[in-house]
Amino acid sequence: MLKLHNLSKVYRTDEVETVALNEVNIEIEKGEFVAIMGPSGCGKSTLLNIIGMLDTPASGQYHFGNQEISSLNESKLSKVRKHNVGFIFQSFNLIDELSVEENIELALLYHEIPASERKERVRKVMDKVGIAHRAKHMPGQLSGGQQQRVAVARAVVGNQSLILADEPTGNLDSAHGQEVMEMLQALNEEGTTIVMVTHSAAHADYARRTINLFDGQVVTESLRAAS
């Protein structure tokens, strides 16, 4: 599905040069569940942002499907991103003034989808993540776990083939964190490719493969034994 070849990212100011990623080589196959781990500042979120086409590398190549992504302009990047990638963030990133169903439907407004089909997709995905009974509620009326369920629904309502999750359980207690991980696992079992940044070894165990970063480089990769 995607391949990074000798990919680097450097941030420069007038006085400081910071190497966030240093010649990273990663391949992720369709249908995989991959966890990315490492200490704070090692490049995990930068890597996820580049995979999600929210940032561009300084050098190297990024192939998504049959396209070489690093050479595309922002307009073309945006088009590829909105049709293929869903995002789940630690802070939920819901809009307080919109209801649950409106927050989810927002992800479809940039697609050429009739209103009736949008409503049907939103209804189905709310059922799928167990939040339909809160459809008319505002984010402030929900628990953290329920807000993250809405965020998961928003990420998958467009039938994206790749879900990127940046510390999706970071603001949740252990019980709600486990619920979110079980949702991600179920989505993966249905065929969705998931790449997740996490500090939790227990949550990384839901993934089939774990990639460990240190100082912007891949230092180890490990496969979870089949259960």
PDB file of all heavy atoms in Angstrom, residues 86-124:
ATOM      1  N   GLY A  86      -7.981   8.526   6.659  1.00  0.00           N
ATOM      2  CA  GLY A  86      -8.749   9.045   7.780  1.00  0.00           C
ATOM      3  C   GLY A  86      -7.835   9.230   8.972  1.00  0.00           C
ATOM      4  O   GLY A  86      -6.877   8.468   9.150  1.00  0.00           O
ATOM      5  N   PHE A  87      -8.113  10.235   9.793  1.00  0.00           N
ATOM      6  CA  PHE A  87      -7.242  10.574  10.918  1.00  0.00           C
ATOM      7  C   PHE A  87      -7.995  10.474  12.246  1.00  0.00           C
ATOM      8  O   PHE A  87      -9.150  10.898  12.352  1.00  0.00           O
ATOM      9  CB  PHE A  87      -6.709  12.005  10.782  1.00  0.00           C
ATOM     10  CG  PHE A  87      -5.834  12.215   9.579  1.00  0.00           C
ATOM     11  CD1 PHE A  87      -6.384  12.602   8.366  1.00  0.00           C
ATOM     12  CD2 PHE A  87      -4.461  12.018   9.650  1.00  0.00           C
ATOM     13  CE1 PHE A  87      -5.588  12.803   7.243  1.00  0.00           C
ATOM     14  CE2 PHE A  87      -3.659  12.208   8.546  1.00  0.00           C
ATOM     15  CZ  PHE A  87      -4.223  12.603   7.340  1.00  0.00           C
ATOM     16  N   ILE A  88      -7.301   9.927  13.251  1.00  0.00           N
ATOM     17  CA  ILE A  88      -7.811   9.899  14.618  1.00  0.00           C
ATOM     18  C   ILE A  88      -6.722  10.506  15.499  1.00  0.00           C
ATOM     19  O   ILE A  88      -5.582  10.041  15.481  1.00  0.00           O
ATOM     20  CB  ILE A  88      -8.127   8.473  15.093  1.00  0.00           C
ATOM     21  CG1 ILE A  88      -9.107   7.784  14.141  1.00  0.00           C
ATOM     22  CG2 ILE A  88      -8.681   8.485  16.506  1.00  0.00           C
ATOM     23  CD1 ILE A  88      -9.260   6.302  14.391  1.00  0.00           C
ATOM     24  N   PHE A  89      -7.089  11.537  16.271  1.00  0.00           N
ATOM     25  CA  PHE A  89      -6.109  12.258  17.069  1.00  0.00           C
ATOM     26  C   PHE A  89      -6.354  12.049  18.560  1.00  0.00           C
ATOM     27  O   PHE A  89      -7.463  11.735  18.988  1.00  0.00           O
ATOM     28  CB  PHE A  89      -6.170  13.762  16.758  1.00  0.00           C
ATOM     29  CG  PHE A  89      -5.910  14.101  15.318  1.00  0.00           C
ATOM     30  CD1 PHE A  89      -6.968  14.332  14.444  1.00  0.00           C
ATOM     31  CD2 PHE A  89      -4.612  14.185  14.827  1.00  0.00           C
ATOM     32  CE1 PHE A  89      -6.747  14.655  13.118  1.00  0.00           C
ATOM     33  CE2 PHE A  89      -4.378  14.506  13.504  1.00  0.00           C
ATOM     34  CZ  PHE A  89      -5.444  14.732  12.636  1.00  0.00           C
ATOM     35  N   GLN A  90      -5.310  12.280  19.346  1.00  0.00           N
ATOM     36  CA  GLN A  90      -5.410  12.154  20.796  1.00  0.00           C
ATOM     37  C   GLN A  90      -6.450  13.116  21.368  1.00  0.00           C
ATOM     38  O   GLN A  90      -7.195  12.785  22.289  1.00  0.00           O
ATOM     39  CB  GLN A  90      -4.044  12.433  21.429  1.00  0.00           C
ATOM     40  CG  GLN A  90      -4.033  12.410  22.944  1.00  0.00           C
ATOM     41  CD  GLN A  90      -2.638  12.626  23.506  1.00  0.00           C
ATOM     42  OE1 GLN A  90      -1.650  12.556  22.788  1.00  0.00           O
ATOM     43  NE2 GLN A  90      -2.555  12.898  24.796  1.00  0.00           N
ATOM     44  N   SER A  91      -6.531  14.316  20.794  1.00  0.00           N
ATOM     45  CA  SER A  91      -7.392  15.362  21.353  1.00  0.00           C
ATOM     46  C   SER A  91      -8.790  15.397  20.722  1.00  0.00           C
ATOM     47  O   SER A  91      -9.525  16.362  20.896  1.00  0.00           O
ATOM     48  CB  SER A  91      -6.721  16.737  21.172  1.00  0.00           C
ATOM     49  OG  SER A  91      -6.419  16.968  19.806  1.00  0.00           O
ATOM     50  N   PHE A  92      -9.135  14.360  19.958  1.00  0.00           N
ATOM     51  CA  PHE A  92     -10.462  14.174  19.352  1.00  0.00           C
ATOM     52  C   PHE A  92     -10.732  15.141  18.190  1.00  0.00           C
ATOM     53  O   PHE A  92     -11.251  14.751  17.162  1.00  0.00           O
ATOM     54  CB  PHE A  92     -11.603  14.285  20.373  1.00  0.00           C
ATOM     55  CG  PHE A  92     -11.380  13.581  21.674  1.00  0.00           C
ATOM     56  CD1 PHE A  92     -11.692  14.190  22.880  1.00  0.00           C
ATOM     57  CD2 PHE A  92     -10.836  12.300  21.711  1.00  0.00           C
ATOM     58  CE1 PHE A  92     -11.487  13.541  24.083  1.00  0.00           C
ATOM     59  CE2 PHE A  92     -10.625  11.640  22.916  1.00  0.00           C
ATOM     60  CZ  PHE A  92     -10.952  12.265  24.106  1.00  0.00           C
ATOM     61  N   ASN A  93     -10.419  16.441  18.374  1.00  0.00           N
ATOM     62  CA  ASN A  93     -10.594  17.457  17.320  1.00  0.00           C
ATOM     63  C   ASN A  93     -12.026  17.529  16.798  1.00  0.00           C
ATOM     64  O   ASN A  93     -12.256  17.673  15.598  1.00  0.00           O
ATOM     65  CB  ASN A  93      -9.625  17.202  16.156  1.00  0.00           C
ATOM     66  CG  ASN A  93      -8.196  17.576  16.496  1.00  0.00           C
ATOM     67  OD1 ASN A  93      -7.902  17.953  17.629  1.00  0.00           O
ATOM     68  ND2 ASN A  93      -7.306  17.481  15.526  1.00  0.00           N
ATOM     69  N   LEU A  94     -12.986  17.426  17.709  1.00  0.00           N
ATOM     70  CA  LEU A  94     -14.386  17.607  17.327  1.00  0.00           C
ATOM     71  C   LEU A  94     -14.748  19.088  17.401  1.00  0.00           C
ATOM     72  O   LEU A  94     -14.129  19.855  18.138  1.00  0.00           O
ATOM     73  CB  LEU A  94     -15.298  16.793  18.253  1.00  0.00           C
ATOM     74  CG  LEU A  94     -15.027  15.289  18.319  1.00  0.00           C
ATOM     75  CD1 LEU A  94     -15.985  14.633  19.295  1.00  0.00           C
ATOM     76  CD2 LEU A  94     -15.123  14.649  16.945  1.00  0.00           C
ATOM     77  N   ILE A  95     -15.761  19.476  16.649  1.00  0.00           N
ATOM     78  CA  ILE A  95     -16.221  20.867  16.657  1.00  0.00           C
ATOM     79  C   ILE A  95     -17.345  20.995  17.674  1.00  0.00           C
ATOM     80  O   ILE A  95     -18.401  20.355  17.554  1.00  0.00           O
ATOM     81  CB  ILE A  95     -16.687  21.288  15.251  1.00  0.00           C
ATOM     82  CG1 ILE A  95     -15.489  21.222  14.285  1.00  0.00           C
ATOM     83  CG2 ILE A  95     -17.288  22.695  15.279  1.00  0.00           C
ATOM     84  CD1 ILE A  95     -15.843  21.528  12.853  1.00  0.00           C
ATOM     85  N   ASP A  96     -17.120  21.818  18.693  1.00  0.00           N
ATOM     86  CA  ASP A  96     -18.038  21.907  19.832  1.00  0.00           C
ATOM     87  C   ASP A  96     -19.436  22.343  19.432  1.00  0.00           C
ATOM     88  O   ASP A  96     -20.413  21.979  20.087  1.00  0.00           O
ATOM     89  CB  ASP A  96     -17.485  22.881  20.880  1.00  0.00           C
ATOM     90  CG  ASP A  96     -16.240  22.349  21.565  1.00  0.00           C
ATOM     91  OD1 ASP A  96     -16.038  21.121  21.562  1.00  0.00           O
ATOM     92  OD2 ASP A  96     -15.461  23.165  22.099  1.00  0.00           O
ATOM     93  N   GLU A  97     -19.545  23.152  18.366  1.00  0.00           N
ATOM     94  CA  GLU A  97     -20.840  23.714  17.980  1.00  0.00           C
ATOM     95  C   GLU A  97     -21.661  22.763  17.121  1.00  0.00           C
ATOM     96  O   GLU A  97     -22.803  23.075  16.763  1.00  0.00           O
ATOM     97  CB  GLU A  97     -20.641  25.038  17.227  1.00  0.00           C
ATOM     98  CG  GLU A  97     -20.051  26.158  18.051  1.00  0.00           C
ATOM     99  CD  GLU A  97     -18.551  26.035  18.288  1.00  0.00           C
ATOM    100  OE1 GLU A  97     -17.893  25.289  17.514  1.00  0.00           O
ATOM    101  OE2 GLU A  97     -18.036  26.655  19.224  1.00  0.00           O
ATOM    102  N   LEU A  98     -21.091  21.613  16.761  1.00  0.00           N
ATOM    103  CA  LEU A  98     -21.793  20.647  15.919  1.00  0.00           C
ATOM    104  C   LEU A  98     -22.167  19.412  16.736  1.00  0.00           C
ATOM    105  O   LEU A  98     -21.431  19.006  17.635  1.00  0.00           O
ATOM    106  CB  LEU A  98     -20.930  20.227  14.732  1.00  0.00           C
ATOM    107  CG  LEU A  98     -20.521  21.326  13.745  1.00  0.00           C
ATOM    108  CD1 LEU A  98     -19.682  20.727  12.619  1.00  0.00           C
ATOM    109  CD2 LEU A  98     -21.731  22.052  13.185  1.00  0.00           C
ATOM    110  N   SER A  99     -23.300  18.812  16.400  1.00  0.00           N
ATOM    111  CA  SER A  99     -23.723  17.578  17.061  1.00  0.00           C
ATOM    112  C   SER A  99     -22.843  16.415  16.624  1.00  0.00           C
ATOM    113  O   SER A  99     -22.008  16.542  15.715  1.00  0.00           O
ATOM    114  CB  SER A  99     -25.178  17.272  16.713  1.00  0.00           C
ATOM    115  OG  SER A  99     -25.277  16.931  15.332  1.00  0.00           O
ATOM    116  N   VAL A 100     -23.046  15.276  17.259  1.00  0.00           N
ATOM    117  CA  VAL A 100     -22.300  14.066  16.898  1.00  0.00           C
ATOM    118  C   VAL A 100     -22.456  13.756  15.411  1.00  0.00           C
ATOM    119  O   VAL A 100     -21.472  13.579  14.690  1.00  0.00           O
ATOM    120  CB  VAL A 100     -22.783  12.873  17.753  1.00  0.00           C
ATOM    121  CG1 VAL A 100     -22.327  11.548  17.154  1.00  0.00           C
ATOM    122  CG2 VAL A 100     -22.277  13.016  19.182  1.00  0.00           C
ATOM    123  N   GLU A 101     -23.695  13.690  14.937  1.00  0.00           N
ATOM    124  CA  GLU A 101     -23.895  13.327  13.536  1.00  0.00           C
ATOM    125  C   GLU A 101     -23.358  14.391  12.591  1.00  0.00           C
ATOM    126  O   GLU A 101     -22.845  14.072  11.504  1.00  0.00           O
ATOM    127  CB  GLU A 101     -25.367  13.038  13.252  1.00  0.00           C
ATOM    128  CG  GLU A 101     -26.319  14.176  13.510  1.00  0.00           C
ATOM    129  CD  GLU A 101     -27.780  13.768  13.322  1.00  0.00           C
ATOM    130  OE1 GLU A 101     -28.032  12.607  12.963  1.00  0.00           O
ATOM    131  OE2 GLU A 101     -28.657  14.634  13.551  1.00  0.00           O
ATOM    132  N   GLU A 102     -23.419  15.651  12.990  1.00  0.00           N
ATOM    133  CA  GLU A 102     -22.880  16.724  12.147  1.00  0.00           C
ATOM    134  C   GLU A 102     -21.359  16.672  12.086  1.00  0.00           C
ATOM    135  O   GLU A 102     -20.760  16.925  11.033  1.00  0.00           O
ATOM    136  CB  GLU A 102     -23.352  18.079  12.673  1.00  0.00           C
ATOM    137  CG  GLU A 102     -24.828  18.341  12.450  1.00  0.00           C
ATOM    138  CD  GLU A 102     -25.334  19.561  13.193  1.00  0.00           C
ATOM    139  OE1 GLU A 102     -24.700  19.963  14.200  1.00  0.00           O
ATOM    140  OE2 GLU A 102     -26.369  20.105  12.791  1.00  0.00           O
ATOM    141  N   ASN A 103     -20.709  16.358  13.214  1.00  0.00           N
ATOM    142  CA  ASN A 103     -19.258  16.202  13.215  1.00  0.00           C
ATOM    143  C   ASN A 103     -18.825  15.089  12.263  1.00  0.00           C
ATOM    144  O   ASN A 103     -17.838  15.226  11.542  1.00  0.00           O
ATOM    145  CB  ASN A 103     -18.757  15.897  14.627  1.00  0.00           C
ATOM    146  CG  ASN A 103     -18.299  17.133  15.377  1.00  0.00           C
ATOM    147  OD1 ASN A 103     -17.216  17.657  15.140  1.00  0.00           O
ATOM    148  ND2 ASN A 103     -19.145  17.603  16.288  1.00  0.00           N
ATOM    149  N   ILE A 104     -19.563  13.990  12.274  1.00  0.00           N
ATOM    150  CA  ILE A 104     -19.213  12.861  11.408  1.00  0.00           C
ATOM    151  C   ILE A 104     -19.478  13.204   9.944  1.00  0.00           C
ATOM    152  O   ILE A 104     -18.650  12.942   9.065  1.00  0.00           O
ATOM    153  CB  ILE A 104     -19.999  11.602  11.826  1.00  0.00           C
ATOM    154  CG1 ILE A 104     -19.627  11.205  13.257  1.00  0.00           C
ATOM    155  CG2 ILE A 104     -19.714  10.451  10.870  1.00  0.00           C
ATOM    156  CD1 ILE A 104     -20.539  10.150  13.855  1.00  0.00           C
ATOM    157  N   GLU A 105     -20.627  13.831   9.687  1.00  0.00           N
ATOM    158  CA  GLU A 105     -20.984  14.170   8.300  1.00  0.00           C
ATOM    159  C   GLU A 105     -20.011  15.168   7.689  1.00  0.00           C
ATOM    160  O   GLU A 105     -19.797  15.183   6.475  1.00  0.00           O
ATOM    161  CB  GLU A 105     -22.400  14.733   8.248  1.00  0.00           C
ATOM    162  CG  GLU A 105     -22.903  14.977   6.823  1.00  0.00           C
ATOM    163  CD  GLU A 105     -24.314  15.528   6.784  1.00  0.00           C
ATOM    164  OE1 GLU A 105     -24.885  15.816   7.853  1.00  0.00           O
ATOM    165  OE2 GLU A 105     -24.846  15.661   5.662  1.00  0.00           O
ATOM    166  N   LEU A 106     -19.391  15.980   8.528  1.00  0.00           N
ATOM    167  CA  LEU A 106     -18.448  16.983   8.041  1.00  0.00           C
ATOM    168  C   LEU A 106     -17.350  16.361   7.175  1.00  0.00           C
ATOM    169  O   LEU A 106     -16.890  16.964   6.207  1.00  0.00           O
ATOM    170  CB  LEU A 106     -17.824  17.718   9.230  1.00  0.00           C
ATOM    171  CG  LEU A 106     -17.012  18.980   8.939  1.00  0.00           C
ATOM    172  CD1 LEU A 106     -17.904  20.051   8.326  1.00  0.00           C
ATOM    173  CD2 LEU A 106     -16.361  19.496  10.217  1.00  0.00           C
ATOM    174  N   ALA A 107     -16.955  15.131   7.507  1.00  0.00           N
ATOM    175  CA  ALA A 107     -15.906  14.455   6.749  1.00  0.00           C
ATOM    176  C   ALA A 107     -16.330  14.128   5.322  1.00  0.00           C
ATOM    177  O   ALA A 107     -15.482  13.845   4.469  1.00  0.00           O
ATOM    178  CB  ALA A 107     -15.489  13.172   7.470  1.00  0.00           C
ATOM    179  N   LEU A 108     -17.635  14.162   5.058  1.00  0.00           N
ATOM    180  CA  LEU A 108     -18.147  13.814   3.727  1.00  0.00           C
ATOM    181  C   LEU A 108     -18.472  15.037   2.875  1.00  0.00           C
ATOM    182  O   LEU A 108     -18.759  14.899   1.681  1.00  0.00           O
ATOM    183  CB  LEU A 108     -19.410  12.956   3.857  1.00  0.00           C
ATOM    184  CG  LEU A 108     -19.243  11.590   4.520  1.00  0.00           C
ATOM    185  CD1 LEU A 108     -20.608  10.930   4.687  1.00  0.00           C
ATOM    186  CD2 LEU A 108     -18.307  10.704   3.718  1.00  0.00           C
ATOM    187  N   LEU A 109     -18.426  16.218   3.464  1.00  0.00           N
ATOM    188  CA  LEU A 109     -18.872  17.404   2.747  1.00  0.00           C
ATOM    189  C   LEU A 109     -17.940  17.783   1.597  1.00  0.00           C
ATOM    190  O   LEU A 109     -18.338  18.496   0.680  1.00  0.00           O
ATOM    191  CB  LEU A 109     -19.014  18.591   3.706  1.00  0.00           C
ATOM    192  CG  LEU A 109     -20.113  18.447   4.764  1.00  0.00           C
ATOM    193  CD1 LEU A 109     -20.197  19.699   5.612  1.00  0.00           C
ATOM    194  CD2 LEU A 109     -21.470  18.164   4.108  1.00  0.00           C
ATOM    195  N   TYR A 110     -16.694  17.294   1.654  1.00  0.00           N
ATOM    196  CA  TYR A 110     -15.741  17.604   0.587  1.00  0.00           C
ATOM    197  C   TYR A 110     -15.781  16.566  -0.529  1.00  0.00           C
ATOM    198  O   TYR A 110     -15.032  16.653  -1.487  1.00  0.00           O
ATOM    199  CB  TYR A 110     -14.323  17.706   1.163  1.00  0.00           C
ATOM    200  CG  TYR A 110     -14.229  18.738   2.265  1.00  0.00           C
ATOM    201  CD1 TYR A 110     -14.183  18.357   3.601  1.00  0.00           C
ATOM    202  CD2 TYR A 110     -14.218  20.102   1.965  1.00  0.00           C
ATOM    203  CE1 TYR A 110     -14.112  19.312   4.614  1.00  0.00           C
ATOM    204  CE2 TYR A 110     -14.150  21.055   2.978  1.00  0.00           C
ATOM    205  CZ  TYR A 110     -14.094  20.655   4.293  1.00  0.00           C
ATOM    206  OH  TYR A 110     -14.032  21.603   5.290  1.00  0.00           O
ATOM    207  N   HIS A 111     -16.659  15.594  -0.394  1.00  0.00           N
ATOM    208  CA  HIS A 111     -16.849  14.579  -1.430  1.00  0.00           C
ATOM    209  C   HIS A 111     -18.154  14.885  -2.175  1.00  0.00           C
ATOM    210  O   HIS A 111     -19.074  15.480  -1.619  1.00  0.00           O
ATOM    211  CB  HIS A 111     -16.945  13.179  -0.810  1.00  0.00           C
ATOM    212  CG  HIS A 111     -15.712  12.771  -0.067  1.00  0.00           C
ATOM    213  ND1 HIS A 111     -14.772  11.918  -0.577  1.00  0.00           N
ATOM    214  CD2 HIS A 111     -15.266  13.098   1.177  1.00  0.00           C
ATOM    215  CE1 HIS A 111     -13.802  11.738   0.306  1.00  0.00           C
ATOM    216  NE2 HIS A 111     -14.083  12.444   1.377  1.00  0.00           N
ATOM    217  N   GLU A 112     -18.215  14.477  -3.391  1.00  0.00           N
ATOM    218  CA  GLU A 112     -19.432  14.698  -4.183  1.00  0.00           C
ATOM    219  C   GLU A 112     -20.430  13.575  -3.895  1.00  0.00           C
ATOM    220  O   GLU A 112     -20.650  12.677  -4.703  1.00  0.00           O
ATOM    221  CB  GLU A 112     -19.089  14.775  -5.668  1.00  0.00           C
ATOM    222  CG  GLU A 112     -18.213  15.974  -6.025  1.00  0.00           C
ATOM    223  CD  GLU A 112     -17.857  16.014  -7.492  1.00  0.00           C
ATOM    224  OE1 GLU A 112     -18.275  15.093  -8.239  1.00  0.00           O
ATOM    225  OE2 GLU A 112     -17.151  16.956  -7.902  1.00  0.00           O
ATOM    226  N   ILE A 113     -21.046  13.668  -2.706  1.00  0.00           N
ATOM    227  CA  ILE A 113     -21.976  12.645  -2.242  1.00  0.00           C
ATOM    228  C   ILE A 113     -23.310  13.316  -1.942  1.00  0.00           C
ATOM    229  O   ILE A 113     -23.355  14.307  -1.207  1.00  0.00           O
ATOM    230  CB  ILE A 113     -21.438  11.946  -0.981  1.00  0.00           C
ATOM    231  CG1 ILE A 113     -20.108  11.246  -1.278  1.00  0.00           C
ATOM    232  CG2 ILE A 113     -22.448  10.936  -0.443  1.00  0.00           C
ATOM    233  CD1 ILE A 113     -19.429  10.665  -0.051  1.00  0.00           C
ATOM    234  N   PRO A 114     -24.396  12.814  -2.500  1.00  0.00           N
ATOM    235  CA  PRO A 114     -25.717  13.404  -2.229  1.00  0.00           C
ATOM    236  C   PRO A 114     -26.034  13.404  -0.738  1.00  0.00           C
ATOM    237  O   PRO A 114     -25.587  12.523   0.007  1.00  0.00           O
ATOM    238  CB  PRO A 114     -26.680  12.487  -3.003  1.00  0.00           C
ATOM    239  CG  PRO A 114     -25.842  11.811  -4.026  1.00  0.00           C
ATOM    240  CD  PRO A 114     -24.477  11.666  -3.423  1.00  0.00           C
ATOM    241  N   ALA A 115     -26.840  14.377  -0.326  1.00  0.00           N
ATOM    242  CA  ALA A 115     -27.163  14.520   1.094  1.00  0.00           C
ATOM    243  C   ALA A 115     -27.803  13.269   1.672  1.00  0.00           C
ATOM    244  O   ALA A 115     -27.504  12.863   2.809  1.00  0.00           O
ATOM    245  CB  ALA A 115     -28.083  15.721   1.293  1.00  0.00           C
ATOM    246  N   SER A 116     -28.685  12.632   0.909  1.00  0.00           N
ATOM    247  CA  SER A 116     -29.358  11.431   1.417  1.00  0.00           C
ATOM    248  C   SER A 116     -28.366  10.306   1.684  1.00  0.00           C
ATOM    249  O   SER A 116     -28.482   9.584   2.677  1.00  0.00           O
ATOM    250  CB  SER A 116     -30.425  10.966   0.424  1.00  0.00           C
ATOM    251  OG  SER A 116     -29.842  10.679  -0.841  1.00  0.00           O
ATOM    252  N   GLU A 117     -27.370  10.167   0.802  1.00  0.00           N
ATOM    253  CA  GLU A 117     -26.357   9.125   1.002  1.00  0.00           C
ATOM    254  C   GLU A 117     -25.452   9.474   2.173  1.00  0.00           C
ATOM    255  O   GLU A 117     -25.047   8.585   2.936  1.00  0.00           O
ATOM    256  CB  GLU A 117     -25.516   8.936  -0.264  1.00  0.00           C
ATOM    257  CG  GLU A 117     -24.493   7.813  -0.123  1.00  0.00           C
ATOM    258  CD  GLU A 117     -23.640   7.601  -1.362  1.00  0.00           C
ATOM    259  OE1 GLU A 117     -24.047   8.063  -2.450  1.00  0.00           O
ATOM    260  OE2 GLU A 117     -22.570   6.989  -1.237  1.00  0.00           O
ATOM    261  N   ARG A 118     -25.137  10.764   2.329  1.00  0.00           N
ATOM    262  CA  ARG A 118     -24.331  11.174   3.483  1.00  0.00           C
ATOM    263  C   ARG A 118     -25.025  10.791   4.780  1.00  0.00           C
ATOM    264  O   ARG A 118     -24.411  10.241   5.691  1.00  0.00           O
ATOM    265  CB  ARG A 118     -24.082  12.689   3.463  1.00  0.00           C
ATOM    266  CG  ARG A 118     -23.160  13.174   2.367  1.00  0.00           C
ATOM    267  CD  ARG A 118     -22.565  14.540   2.706  1.00  0.00           C
ATOM    268  NE  ARG A 118     -23.563  15.546   3.070  1.00  0.00           N
ATOM    269  CZ  ARG A 118     -24.124  16.387   2.214  1.00  0.00           C
ATOM    270  NH1 ARG A 118     -23.812  16.333   0.930  1.00  0.00           N
ATOM    271  NH2 ARG A 118     -25.007  17.282   2.637  1.00  0.00           N
ATOM    272  N   LYS A 119     -26.325  11.083   4.873  1.00  0.00           N
ATOM    273  CA  LYS A 119     -27.080  10.777   6.086  1.00  0.00           C
ATOM    274  C   LYS A 119     -27.076   9.277   6.368  1.00  0.00           C
ATOM    275  O   LYS A 119     -26.949   8.845   7.518  1.00  0.00           O
ATOM    276  CB  LYS A 119     -28.517  11.278   5.942  1.00  0.00           C
ATOM    277  CG  LYS A 119     -28.665  12.778   5.754  1.00  0.00           C
ATOM    278  CD  LYS A 119     -28.209  13.569   6.963  1.00  0.00           C
ATOM    279  CE  LYS A 119     -28.484  15.061   6.771  1.00  0.00           C
ATOM    280  NZ  LYS A 119     -27.929  15.868   7.887  1.00  0.00           N
ATOM    281  N   GLU A 120     -27.217   8.478   5.315  1.00  0.00           N
ATOM    282  CA  GLU A 120     -27.247   7.026   5.481  1.00  0.00           C
ATOM    283  C   GLU A 120     -25.893   6.503   5.941  1.00  0.00           C
ATOM    284  O   GLU A 120     -25.803   5.633   6.818  1.00  0.00           O
ATOM    285  CB  GLU A 120     -27.663   6.361   4.171  1.00  0.00           C
ATOM    286  CG  GLU A 120     -27.735   4.834   4.220  1.00  0.00           C
ATOM    287  CD  GLU A 120     -28.774   4.295   5.194  1.00  0.00           C
ATOM    288  OE1 GLU A 120     -29.616   5.091   5.688  1.00  0.00           O
ATOM    289  OE2 GLU A 120     -28.743   3.083   5.478  1.00  0.00           O
ATOM    290  N   ARG A 121     -24.822   7.028   5.355  1.00  0.00           N
ATOM    291  CA  ARG A 121     -23.479   6.602   5.777  1.00  0.00           C
ATOM    292  C   ARG A 121     -23.234   6.962   7.242  1.00  0.00           C
ATOM    293  O   ARG A 121     -22.671   6.166   7.999  1.00  0.00           O
ATOM    294  CB  ARG A 121     -22.414   7.278   4.900  1.00  0.00           C
ATOM    295  CG  ARG A 121     -22.255   6.675   3.529  1.00  0.00           C
ATOM    296  CD  ARG A 121     -20.890   7.044   3.000  1.00  0.00           C
ATOM    297  NE  ARG A 121     -20.732   6.829   1.593  1.00  0.00           N
ATOM    298  CZ  ARG A 121     -19.593   6.987   0.941  1.00  0.00           C
ATOM    299  NH1 ARG A 121     -18.520   7.396   1.594  1.00  0.00           N
ATOM    300  NH2 ARG A 121     -19.506   6.773  -0.351  1.00  0.00           N
ATOM    301  N   VAL A 122     -23.631   8.163   7.619  1.00  0.00           N
ATOM    302  CA  VAL A 122     -23.442   8.592   9.007  1.00  0.00           C
ATOM    303  C   VAL A 122     -24.228   7.698   9.947  1.00  0.00           C
ATOM    304  O   VAL A 122     -23.726   7.273  11.002  1.00  0.00           O
ATOM    305  CB  VAL A 122     -23.855  10.071   9.179  1.00  0.00           C
ATOM    306  CG1 VAL A 122     -23.883  10.458  10.656  1.00  0.00           C
ATOM    307  CG2 VAL A 122     -22.896  10.981   8.421  1.00  0.00           C
ATOM    308  N   ARG A 123     -25.459   7.366   9.589  1.00  0.00           N
ATOM    309  CA  ARG A 123     -26.283   6.497  10.429  1.00  0.00           C
ATOM    310  C   ARG A 123     -25.620   5.141  10.625  1.00  0.00           C
ATOM    311  O   ARG A 123     -25.544   4.617  11.742  1.00  0.00           O
ATOM    312  CB  ARG A 123     -27.668   6.316   9.801  1.00  0.00           C
ATOM    313  CG  ARG A 123     -28.635   5.503  10.657  1.00  0.00           C
ATOM    314  CD  ARG A 123     -29.892   5.136   9.899  1.00  0.00           C
ATOM    315  NE  ARG A 123     -29.616   4.239   8.776  1.00  0.00           N
ATOM    316  CZ  ARG A 123     -29.379   2.931   8.919  1.00  0.00           C
ATOM    317  NH1 ARG A 123     -29.364   2.377  10.121  1.00  0.00           N
ATOM    318  NH2 ARG A 123     -29.154   2.185   7.850  1.00  0.00           N
ATOM    319  N   LYS A 124     -25.125   4.565   9.526  1.00  0.00           N
ATOM    320  CA  LYS A 124     -24.506   3.236   9.600  1.00  0.00           C
ATOM    321  C   LYS A 124     -23.235   3.247  10.452  1.00  0.00           C
ATOM    322  O   LYS A 124     -23.004   2.334  11.256  1.00  0.00           O
ATOM    323  CB  LYS A 124     -24.201   2.729   8.194  1.00  0.00           C
ATOM    324  CG  LYS A 124     -25.425   2.286   7.415  1.00  0.00           C
ATOM    325  CD  LYS A 124     -25.036   1.749   6.048  1.00  0.00           C
ATOM    326  CE  LYS A 124     -26.262   1.242   5.290  1.00  0.00           C
ATOM    327  NZ  LYS A 124     -25.912   0.740   3.936  1.00  0.00           N
TER     328      LYS A 124
END
